[in-house]
Amino acid sequence: MNFTNKKVIITGGTTGIGFATAKAFINAGATVWITGRNNENLTKAASKIASENLQTLVADTSHMQGIETLEHVVISQDIKIDILFLNAGLAVFSGIEDVTEADFDLQFNTNVKGHFFTLQKLIPHLAEGANVLFTSSTVATAANLGSSIYSATKGALNKIAQVAANELAHRSIRINMISPGPVKTEGFDSAVTTDEAKNHLTSSVALNRLGHPDEIADTVLFLASEKASFITGTELLVDGGYTTFARK
Ligand SMILES: NC(=O)c1ccc[n+]([C@@H]2O[C@H](COP(=O)([O-])OP(=O)(O)OC[C@H]3O[C@@H](n4cnc5c(N)ncnc54)[C@H](OP(=O)(O)O)[C@@H]3O)[C@@H](O)[C@H]2O)c1
Protein backbone atom coordinates (compact mmCIF):
# COMPACT_ATOMS: atom_id res chain seq x y z
CA MET A 1 0.00 0.00 0.00
CA ASN A 2 1.24 3.43 -0.89
CA PHE A 3 0.65 6.43 1.39
CA THR A 4 3.09 8.84 -0.26
CA ASN A 5 2.33 12.48 0.64
CA LYS A 6 -0.33 11.40 3.15
CA LYS A 7 -0.31 13.12 6.54
CA VAL A 8 -0.90 10.82 9.48
CA ILE A 9 -1.37 11.67 13.16
CA ILE A 10 -1.09 8.87 15.71
CA THR A 11 -1.85 9.43 19.38
CA GLY A 12 0.20 7.10 21.56
CA GLY A 13 2.87 6.28 19.02
CA THR A 14 5.88 5.64 21.24
CA THR A 15 5.45 1.90 21.84
CA GLY A 16 3.29 -1.10 20.96
CA ILE A 17 0.54 -0.79 18.37
CA GLY A 18 0.96 2.95 17.78
CA PHE A 19 4.70 2.61 17.22
CA ALA A 20 4.26 -0.34 14.82
CA THR A 21 1.67 1.65 12.89
CA ALA A 22 3.88 4.73 12.70
CA LYS A 23 6.67 2.59 11.28
CA ALA A 24 4.34 0.98 8.75
CA PHE A 25 3.01 4.34 7.53
CA ILE A 26 6.54 5.75 7.26
CA ASN A 27 7.60 2.70 5.22
CA ALA A 28 4.58 3.30 2.98
CA GLY A 29 5.70 6.88 2.24
CA ALA A 30 3.60 8.95 4.67
CA THR A 31 4.60 11.82 6.92
CA VAL A 32 3.71 10.87 10.48
CA TRP A 33 3.29 12.77 13.76
CA ILE A 34 3.27 10.66 16.93
CA THR A 35 2.34 11.76 20.42
CA GLY A 36 3.14 10.46 23.88
CA ARG A 37 3.29 11.73 27.43
CA ASN A 38 7.01 12.34 27.66
CA ASN A 39 9.98 13.29 25.58
CA GLU A 40 12.10 10.32 26.63
CA ASN A 41 9.81 7.71 25.04
CA LEU A 42 9.27 9.87 21.97
CA THR A 43 13.01 10.29 21.46
CA LYS A 44 13.51 6.51 21.76
CA ALA A 45 10.75 5.86 19.22
CA ALA A 46 12.16 8.47 16.83
CA SER A 47 15.64 7.00 16.99
CA LYS A 48 14.29 3.50 16.25
CA ILE A 49 12.27 4.69 13.25
CA ALA A 50 15.01 7.10 12.13
CA SER A 51 13.12 8.90 9.39
CA GLU A 52 12.92 12.58 8.53
CA ASN A 53 9.24 11.93 7.79
CA LEU A 54 8.54 11.31 11.49
CA GLN A 55 7.73 14.13 13.89
CA THR A 56 7.12 13.79 17.62
CA LEU A 57 5.08 15.75 20.07
CA VAL A 58 4.59 15.61 23.84
CA ALA A 59 0.81 15.82 24.21
CA ASP A 60 -1.02 14.09 27.04
CA THR A 61 -4.40 13.14 25.62
CA SER A 62 -6.03 12.73 29.04
CA HIS A 63 -6.52 16.46 29.56
CA MET A 64 -7.62 19.42 27.46
CA GLN A 65 -4.28 21.21 27.65
CA GLY A 66 -2.53 18.22 26.04
CA ILE A 67 -5.18 17.97 23.36
CA GLU A 68 -4.88 21.68 22.62
CA THR A 69 -1.11 21.28 22.29
CA LEU A 70 -1.73 18.85 19.42
CA GLU A 71 -4.38 21.13 17.93
CA HIS A 72 -1.95 24.05 18.06
CA VAL A 73 0.70 22.10 16.12
CA VAL A 74 -1.85 21.12 13.49
CA ILE A 75 -2.92 24.76 13.09
CA SER A 76 0.58 26.27 13.16
CA GLN A 77 1.95 23.74 10.62
CA ASP A 78 -1.26 23.99 8.55
CA ILE A 79 -1.66 20.20 8.48
CA LYS A 80 -4.55 18.78 6.48
CA ILE A 81 -4.86 15.40 8.15
CA ASP A 82 -5.41 12.38 5.86
CA ILE A 83 -5.33 9.76 8.61
CA LEU A 84 -6.03 10.26 12.30
CA PHE A 85 -5.26 7.18 14.39
CA LEU A 86 -6.66 7.63 17.90
CA ASN A 87 -4.76 4.91 19.67
CA ALA A 88 -3.39 6.14 23.02
CA GLY A 89 -4.83 4.02 25.77
CA LEU A 90 -4.26 2.03 28.91
CA ALA A 91 -5.86 -0.60 31.09
CA VAL A 92 -5.96 -1.20 34.83
CA PHE A 93 -7.44 -4.58 35.67
CA SER A 94 -9.10 -5.22 39.05
CA GLY A 95 -12.35 -6.49 40.46
CA ILE A 96 -15.11 -3.93 40.95
CA GLU A 97 -14.61 -3.88 44.72
CA ASP A 98 -10.99 -2.78 44.27
CA VAL A 99 -11.39 -0.10 41.59
CA THR A 100 -10.30 3.33 42.85
CA GLU A 101 -11.58 6.68 41.65
CA ALA A 102 -8.08 7.36 40.31
CA ASP A 103 -8.16 4.13 38.20
CA PHE A 104 -11.60 5.08 36.90
CA ASP A 105 -10.60 8.65 35.97
CA LEU A 106 -7.28 7.62 34.41
CA GLN A 107 -8.92 5.12 32.06
CA PHE A 108 -11.94 7.23 31.14
CA ASN A 109 -9.87 10.40 30.68
CA THR A 110 -7.35 8.65 28.45
CA ASN A 111 -9.45 6.12 26.57
CA VAL A 112 -12.68 8.11 26.10
CA LYS A 113 -12.46 11.83 26.89
CA GLY A 114 -9.06 12.12 25.21
CA HIS A 115 -10.24 10.58 21.95
CA PHE A 116 -13.54 12.43 21.91
CA PHE A 117 -12.00 15.88 22.31
CA THR A 118 -9.04 15.15 20.05
CA LEU A 119 -11.50 14.22 17.32
CA GLN A 120 -13.65 17.27 18.05
CA LYS A 121 -10.70 19.70 17.91
CA LEU A 122 -9.25 18.12 14.76
CA ILE A 123 -12.47 17.77 12.73
CA PRO A 124 -11.89 21.12 10.99
CA HIS A 125 -8.42 19.95 9.98
CA LEU A 126 -9.42 16.61 8.45
CA ALA A 127 -8.95 16.44 4.69
CA GLU A 128 -11.96 15.64 2.50
CA GLY A 129 -12.05 11.83 2.35
CA ALA A 130 -9.88 11.45 5.46
CA ASN A 131 -9.80 8.33 7.61
CA VAL A 132 -10.21 8.24 11.37
CA LEU A 133 -9.37 5.02 13.19
CA PHE A 134 -9.92 4.23 16.84
CA THR A 135 -8.12 1.49 18.75
CA SER A 136 -10.88 -0.23 20.64
CA SER A 137 -10.62 -3.77 22.05
CA THR A 138 -12.38 -7.12 22.08
CA VAL A 139 -13.29 -6.24 25.67
CA ALA A 140 -15.77 -3.67 24.33
CA THR A 141 -18.21 -6.53 23.87
CA ALA A 142 -16.77 -9.17 26.23
CA ALA A 143 -17.36 -9.05 29.97
CA ASN A 144 -14.10 -10.45 31.32
CA LEU A 145 -13.54 -10.54 35.08
CA GLY A 146 -11.60 -7.52 36.35
CA SER A 147 -12.18 -5.44 33.24
CA SER A 148 -15.28 -3.44 34.18
CA ILE A 149 -13.85 0.06 33.67
CA TYR A 150 -11.51 -0.74 30.78
CA SER A 151 -14.34 -2.56 28.94
CA ALA A 152 -16.70 0.33 29.62
CA THR A 153 -14.20 2.80 28.12
CA LYS A 154 -13.91 0.77 24.92
CA GLY A 155 -17.69 0.29 24.68
CA ALA A 156 -18.12 4.06 25.01
CA LEU A 157 -15.42 4.65 22.42
CA ASN A 158 -17.16 2.39 19.90
CA LYS A 159 -20.39 4.31 20.27
CA ILE A 160 -18.61 7.65 19.79
CA ALA A 161 -16.90 6.25 16.68
CA GLN A 162 -20.16 4.98 15.19
CA VAL A 163 -21.91 8.31 15.68
CA ALA A 164 -18.88 10.17 14.32
CA ALA A 165 -18.91 7.92 11.21
CA ASN A 166 -22.47 9.02 10.54
CA GLU A 167 -21.87 12.69 11.32
CA LEU A 168 -18.80 13.01 9.07
CA ALA A 169 -19.89 10.80 6.18
CA HIS A 170 -21.07 13.86 4.23
CA ARG A 171 -17.38 14.85 3.89
CA SER A 172 -16.53 11.32 2.66
CA ILE A 173 -14.62 10.80 5.90
CA ARG A 174 -14.55 7.14 6.95
CA ILE A 175 -14.33 6.22 10.62
CA ASN A 176 -13.64 2.70 11.85
CA MET A 177 -12.63 0.83 14.99
CA ILE A 178 -9.96 -1.83 15.30
CA SER A 179 -10.44 -4.24 18.18
CA PRO A 180 -7.30 -6.21 18.93
CA GLY A 181 -7.35 -9.32 21.04
CA PRO A 182 -4.32 -9.92 23.28
CA VAL A 183 -1.26 -8.37 21.57
CA LYS A 184 2.29 -8.50 22.93
CA THR A 185 3.14 -4.87 23.68
CA GLU A 186 4.70 -2.87 26.50
CA GLY A 187 1.16 -1.95 27.60
CA PHE A 188 0.10 -5.60 27.60
CA ASP A 189 3.08 -6.54 29.76
CA SER A 190 2.36 -3.85 32.32
CA ALA A 191 -1.40 -4.59 32.51
CA VAL A 192 -1.14 -8.40 32.48
CA THR A 193 1.54 -9.00 35.05
CA THR A 194 1.56 -12.72 35.91
CA ASP A 195 2.71 -15.63 33.73
CA GLU A 196 -0.50 -17.42 34.66
CA ALA A 197 -2.65 -14.61 33.25
CA LYS A 198 -0.47 -14.35 30.12
CA ASN A 199 -0.66 -18.10 29.52
CA HIS A 200 -4.41 -18.10 30.06
CA LEU A 201 -4.88 -15.31 27.53
CA THR A 202 -2.59 -16.99 25.01
CA SER A 203 -4.44 -20.28 25.22
CA SER A 204 -7.75 -18.42 24.89
CA VAL A 205 -6.77 -17.35 21.37
CA ALA A 206 -7.84 -19.87 18.70
CA LEU A 207 -4.46 -19.45 16.98
CA ASN A 208 -2.87 -20.17 20.38
CA ARG A 209 -0.54 -17.18 20.40
CA LEU A 210 -0.52 -13.49 21.19
CA GLY A 211 -0.87 -11.03 18.34
CA HIS A 212 2.06 -8.97 17.10
CA PRO A 213 1.73 -5.16 16.93
CA ASP A 214 2.64 -5.29 13.21
CA GLU A 215 -0.51 -7.35 12.59
CA ILE A 216 -2.64 -4.55 14.01
CA ALA A 217 -0.66 -1.97 12.03
CA ASP A 218 -1.35 -3.88 8.80
CA THR A 219 -5.07 -3.72 9.57
CA VAL A 220 -4.91 0.02 10.23
CA LEU A 221 -3.21 0.58 6.87
CA PHE A 222 -5.81 -1.57 5.12
CA LEU A 223 -8.72 0.36 6.66
CA ALA A 224 -7.05 3.68 5.83
CA SER A 225 -6.50 2.63 2.23
CA GLU A 226 -8.68 2.80 -0.86
CA LYS A 227 -9.07 -0.98 -0.57
CA ALA A 228 -11.49 -0.27 2.28
CA SER A 229 -13.36 2.53 0.49
CA PHE A 230 -16.84 1.22 1.36
CA ILE A 231 -16.10 0.45 5.01
CA THR A 232 -17.19 2.97 7.62
CA GLY A 233 -18.68 2.77 11.12
CA THR A 234 -17.34 -0.77 11.46
CA GLU A 235 -15.51 -2.51 14.27
CA LEU A 236 -12.94 -4.93 12.89
CA LEU A 237 -11.78 -7.66 15.28
CA VAL A 238 -8.10 -8.55 14.92
CA ASP A 239 -7.91 -11.20 17.58
CA GLY A 240 -6.68 -14.54 16.24
CA GLY A 241 -10.13 -15.95 16.94
CA TYR A 242 -10.11 -14.91 20.63
CA THR A 243 -13.68 -13.60 20.65
CA THR A 244 -15.33 -16.68 19.19
CA PHE A 245 -12.98 -19.39 20.45
CA ALA A 246 -15.10 -22.12 22.03
CA ARG A 247 -12.45 -23.72 24.27
CA LYS A 248 -11.82 -20.68 26.54
N1 LIG B 1 -1.99 -4.90 23.66
C1 LIG B 1 -3.19 -5.41 23.72
O1 LIG B 1 -3.38 -6.60 24.03
C2 LIG B 1 -4.39 -4.55 23.38
C3 LIG B 1 -5.60 -5.20 23.14
C4 LIG B 1 -6.72 -4.43 22.81
C5 LIG B 1 -6.60 -3.06 22.74
N2 LIG B 1 -5.41 -2.45 22.99
C6 LIG B 1 -5.37 -1.00 22.88
O2 LIG B 1 -4.31 -0.66 22.01
C7 LIG B 1 -3.90 0.69 22.28
C8 LIG B 1 -2.39 0.71 22.34
O3 LIG B 1 -1.98 -0.10 23.42
P1 LIG B 1 -0.63 -0.97 23.39
O4 LIG B 1 -1.00 -2.34 23.78
O5 LIG B 1 0.12 -0.69 22.16
O6 LIG B 1 0.09 -0.34 24.68
P2 LIG B 1 1.40 0.54 24.87
O7 LIG B 1 2.56 -0.16 24.29
O8 LIG B 1 1.42 0.87 26.32
O9 LIG B 1 1.10 1.83 24.02
C9 LIG B 1 0.26 2.85 24.52
C10 LIG B 1 0.64 4.15 23.88
O10 LIG B 1 -0.26 5.15 24.37
C11 LIG B 1 0.52 6.22 24.87
N3 LIG B 1 -0.25 6.88 25.93
C12 LIG B 1 -0.76 6.36 27.05
N4 LIG B 1 -1.42 7.31 27.74
C13 LIG B 1 -1.31 8.45 27.03
C14 LIG B 1 -1.76 9.77 27.21
N5 LIG B 1 -2.47 10.12 28.29
N6 LIG B 1 -1.47 10.69 26.28
C15 LIG B 1 -0.75 10.35 25.16
N7 LIG B 1 -0.28 9.14 24.95
C16 LIG B 1 -0.56 8.19 25.87
C17 LIG B 1 1.83 5.61 25.33
O11 LIG B 1 2.84 6.59 25.29
P3 LIG B 1 3.78 7.00 26.55
O12 LIG B 1 3.75 5.86 27.52
O13 LIG B 1 5.11 7.22 25.91
O14 LIG B 1 3.15 8.24 27.06
C18 LIG B 1 2.05 4.59 24.23
O15 LIG B 1 2.62 5.21 23.10
C19 LIG B 1 -4.60 1.10 23.56
O16 LIG B 1 -5.71 1.90 23.25
C20 LIG B 1 -5.06 -0.23 24.15
O17 LIG B 1 -6.20 -0.08 24.95
C21 LIG B 1 -4.30 -3.17 23.30
Side-chain angles (χ1 to χ4, degrees):
M1 274 172 272
N2 188 346
F3 287 91
T4 304
N5 295 329
K6 297 292 183 192
K7 298 194 167 136
V8 181
I9 291 182
I10 300 175
T11 68
T14 59
T15 57
I17 291 166
F19 174 80
T21 308
K23 214 171 41 171
F25 273 121
I26 292 275
N27 290 339
T31 300
V32 178
W33 286 256
I34 57 170
T35 70
R37 287 166 294 185
N38 64 70
N39 215 17
E40 196 189 335
N41 289 354
L42 285 163
T43 306
K44 268 191 214 156
S47 73
K48 282 189 204 157
I49 291 180
S51 166
E52 61 190 18
N53 292 335
L54 181 77
Q55 299 201 32
T56 63
L57 176 68
V58 176
D60 187 329
T61 205
S62 68
H63 55 71
M64 293 308 285
Q65 203 188 337
I67 294 167
E68 282 159 8
T69 301
L70 174 59
E71 181 192 19
H72 177 72
V73 166
V74 169
I75 292 170
S76 63
Q77 297 187 23
D78 195 21
I79 302 168
K80 268 286 167 213
I81 305 162
D82 295 298
I83 294 143
L84 175 61
F85 182 31
L86 295 166
N87 166 74
L90 41 78
V92 182
F93 296 119
S94 55
I96 290 174
E97 287 147 303
D98 297 321
V99 172
T100 65
E101 186 182 5
D103 294 338
F104 185 102
D105 288 346
L106 177 68
Q107 291 176 91
F108 264 92
N109 287 344
T110 309
N111 301 355
V112 182
K113 179 182 167 187
H115 296 313
F116 179 84
F117 285 105
T118 304
L119 176 64
Q120 183 195 67
K121 298 279 180 200
L122 298 186
I123 282 175
H125 309 288
L126 293 172
E128 193 76 14
N131 273 277
V132 180
L133 298 126
F134 289 84
T135 308
S136 183
S137 168
T138 50
V139 303
T141 40
N144 297 346
L145 303 181
S147 74
S148 56
I149 304 308
Y150 182 57
S151 298
T153 65
K154 296 299 187 178
L157 194 62
N158 281 1
K159 194 48 72 185
I160 290 167
Q162 287 164 357
V163 173
N166 292 336
E167 290 191 4
L168 297 182
H170 68 99
R171 287 171 56 193
S172 302
I173 292 170
R174 294 188 295 109
I175 302 191
N176 290 295
M177 297 135 266
I178 292 120
S179 282
V183 177
K184 178 91 177 108
T185 64
E186 290 80 345
F188 176 86
D189 282 337
S190 58
V192 183
T193 48
T194 65
D195 283 347
E196 191 192 356
K198 280 180 187 154
N199 291 340
H200 173 70
L201 278 168
T202 305
S203 62
S204 302
V205 175
L207 293 178
N208 198 29
R209 66 171 174 85
L210 298 177
H212 190 282
D214 290 344
E215 295 176 294
I216 311 303
D218 287 344
T219 310
V220 176
L221 267 68
F222 162 68
L223 284 172
S225 77
E226 275 306 300
K227 302 274 182 207
S229 55
F230 203 48
I231 303 179
T232 195
T234 286
E235 179 190 8
L236 188 49
L237 303 182
V238 190
D239 70 349
Y242 174 75
T243 305
T244 51
F245 189 41
R247 202 154 42 80
K248 273 199 246 202

